[in-house]
Structures are given as C-alpha cells and as structure tokens.
C-alpha cells in the first residue's frame, strides 16, 4: 500500500511533531568541563515555490573516536503538512546517528520514513527541504 500526501498519518505527524521546538536545546545548560565535547549547530532554509521556511538545530556530542554524534535534533518554522511531517521523521531518525550519516539523509529517506510516501515533482521540495537544512547545519562538523 502506498502512502500519499493526504494520508491521515502525515497530517497527524505534522500536528503532533515530537521534534518541533527548541526548548532544552541550549548549550547554556552544559557543564563547563563538557563544553568542548558538546556543540550546537543550526541552519535555515526555505522553499520559494511554496513558502515553506524551516530552521534546524542540532546538539552534538563527541563520540569515543573523536567524531560527532547527533544527541538531539529539532526543527521549527512555517511549512506545509508534508514538510513538517518529513522534518519530524528526519529529526527523529537523526538522533543517535554519526553526524556524517545524518548529513547524508535525503528527501527519499524522509519518504521511506513516512511509510513509503510517494510524492510528485511539485511536492518533492516539501520533503527535501528538511533534509537540505539538516545537511547544511551538519556541514560545519563533518570532516
């Protein structure tokens, strides 16, 4: 069965997005001795064709090998139902991933996470925007 853009699960996820909002994502709460091991990055982006605007913030921590792992990922903004649902799914799956792996997530990954969502050419940008903004944020830490 194919999931479509008007599926009730898409609407529900956009309304009840668990990764929307930046509360508790500040580095101000980090103990001074841990500051070098924790980092926050962010990026913004928009889709000029439909008016979607998103900001993504990611809290990273050093792993044992000196790389970065996504500790928490969140988004906020003004966007369509499809974009919000895709953003929520991508932020959820990014948590716990190596930053390089999270940076490689795509709009196609968002569609898969939303149950095999199929979008046409005109809605492709709605699911790609969250992946693009997440990737842009993580660009600063991926070596």
């Amino acid at each position: 069965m194919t999931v479509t853009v008007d599926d009730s699960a898409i609407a529900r996820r956009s309304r009840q997005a668990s990764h929307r909002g930046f509360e508790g994502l500040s580095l101000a709460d980090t103990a001074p001795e841990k500051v070098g091991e924790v980092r926050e990055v962010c990026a913004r982006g928009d889709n000029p064709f439909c008016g979607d605007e998103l900001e993504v913030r990611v809290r990273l921590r050093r792993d044992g090998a000196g790389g970065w792992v996504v500790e928490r990922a969140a988004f906020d903004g003004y966007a369509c139902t499809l974009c919000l649902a895709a953003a929520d799914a991508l932020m959820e799956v990014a948590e716990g991933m190596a930053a390089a792996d999270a940076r490689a997530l795509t709009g196609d990954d968002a569609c898969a996470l939303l149950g095999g969502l199929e979008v046409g050419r005109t809605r492709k940008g709605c699911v790609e925007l969250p992946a693009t903004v997440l990737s842009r944020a993580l660009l600063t830490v991926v070596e």
Side-chain angles (χ1 to χ4, degrees):
M1 186 168 146
T2 303
V3 175
T4 61
V5 296
D6 59 351
D7 190 279
S8 62
I10 303 292
R12 188 172 41 257
R13 181 152 203 160
S14 73
R15 283 191 314 270
Q16 299 170 350
S18 60
H19 289 78
R20 187 171 189 176
F22 304 129
E23 186 175 327
L25 200 60
S26 173
L27 287 180
D29 301 328
T30 304
E33 65 274 6
K34 299 281 186 183
V35 170
E37 299 173 25
V38 179
R39 187 167 180 192
E40 183 180 315
V41 295
C42 66
R44 293 179 184 200
D46 67 344
N47 181 347
F49 298 111
C50 67
D52 291 345
E53 297 178 4
L54 282 182
E55 179 177 354
V56 169
R57 292 186 192 176
V58 181
R59 183 182 173 107
L60 301 139
R61 64 175 164 71
R62 288 263 186 208
D63 65 10
W68 294 100
V69 174
V70 176
E71 184 173 275
R72 181 150 182 264
F75 73 96
D76 209 351
Y78 174 81
C80 68
T81 298
L82 187 55
C83 185
L84 295 174
D88 192 54
L90 286 171
M91 299 309 118
E92 181 179 315
V93 77
E95 290 182 349
M97 290 180 105
D101 294 337
R103 184 170 179 267
L105 291 169
T106 66
D108 289 338
D109 293 323
C111 289
L113 292 166
L114 293 172
L117 175 69
E118 290 188 9
V119 294
R121 181 172 45 106
T122 59
R123 300 301 302 269
K124 192 81 167 157
C126 300
V127 295
E128 290 178 346
L129 178 61
T132 299
V133 179
L134 176 62
S135 177
R136 190 178 302 142
L138 293 171
L139 182 64
T140 61
V141 295
V142 175
E143 290 132 20

